[in-house]
Structure formats: structure tokens, C-alpha cells
């Protein structure tokens, strides 16, 4: 589990942990690779919720919002994301102060 300040940071961490390049991400979950380059360059400060959940689902992560941080946790007991992009569940929970 890692904590991040925003969706862009969390998304980039998921991509880095899976050792994927922008072309891989585009192929796996449909997020445009140009957009990923913009996240990496710091041109985008916030990403759309639907893009974030699509990425997390495709890369097999659980997302939790904890106060003002986002926790991401990879699932280790699932099939390879490169072969099975539609077999995963996304759990989102909100912790209110």
C-alpha cells in the first residue's frame, strides 16, 4: 500500500510499479498515451475520476481515499493484467473524518 496526494501521482505510481510504458497502458486500458506523457511532464494536475478508476481496474489495484490522500494496493492473487484486462474488481471506499 502506498499513499499519494492526488490521482495523477497515484496513477503514475501504478504505472511505474507495473513497469509499463505509455504505449502499454494505452493498449491495456485505453487511456491515451499522449495523456500519460502529459501526466509525467506535470502538465496535468488532476485526472478524471473515470480515467483513474479505469486504469486502477485494468492494472488490478484497489483504491481507498483516506482523508486527503489516495491509497493504492496491488492485488497479487489475480491473473496477469497483460492477458486479462476485464477480470478484475475495483474496490473504492471513502473514509470520512
Amino acid at each position: 500500500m502506498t499513499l499519494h496526494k492526488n490521482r495523477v501521482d497515484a496513477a503514475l505510481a501504478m504505472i511505474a510499479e507495473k513497469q509499463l510504458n505509455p504505449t502499454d497502458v494505452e493498449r491495456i486500458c485505453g487511456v491515451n498515451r499522449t495523456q500519460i506523457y502529459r501526466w509525467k511532464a506535470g502538465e496535468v494536475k488532476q485526472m478524471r475520476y473515470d480515467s483513474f478508476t479505469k486504469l486502477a481496474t485494468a492494472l488490478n489495484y484497489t483504491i481507498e481515499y483516506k482523508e486527503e490522500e489516495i491509497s493504492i494496493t496491488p492485488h497479487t492473487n489475480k491473473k496477469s493484467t497483460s492477458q486479462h484486462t476485464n477480470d478484475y474488481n475495483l474496490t473504492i471506499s471513502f473514509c470520512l473524518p
Side-chain angles (χ1 to χ4, degrees):
M1 175 180 71
T2 56
L3 295 175
H4 303 277
K5 296 288 182 190
N6 59 55
R7 284 179 265 199
V8 173
D9 290 346
L12 291 174
M14 287 187 278
I15 292 166
E17 286 177 16
K18 296 288 185 173
Q19 299 179 350
L20 300 172
N21 63 46
T23 303
D24 294 333
V25 176
E26 182 177 50
R27 180 182 47 81
I28 291 168
C29 66
V31 175
N32 188 296
R33 69 176 174 249
T34 303
Q35 188 67 15
I36 298 164
Y37 286 118
R38 292 182 66 219
W39 298 341
K40 287 184 171 190
E43 295 175 16
V44 177
K45 300 299 179 198
Q46 194 57 269
M47 68 187 293
R48 291 182 4 202
Y49 179 79
D50 62 325
S51 295
F52 183 59
T53 56
K54 184 186 225 183
L55 178 68
T57 300
L59 298 183
N60 199 24
Y61 278 82
T62 297
I63 302 167
E64 293 182 57
Y65 288 85
K66 298 182 178 189
E67 296 180 18
E68 294 188 22
E69 293 184 317
I70 300 169
S71 165
I72 59 171
T73 307
H75 295 278
T76 56
N77 59 347
K78 297 286 185 175
K79 300 173 186 171
S80 168
T81 58
S82 63
Q83 296 175 0
H84 304 280
T85 59
N86 295 322
D87 294 344
Y88 305 105
N89 295 319
L90 173 67
T91 303
I92 300 174
S93 60
F94 297 89
C95 299
L96 300 175

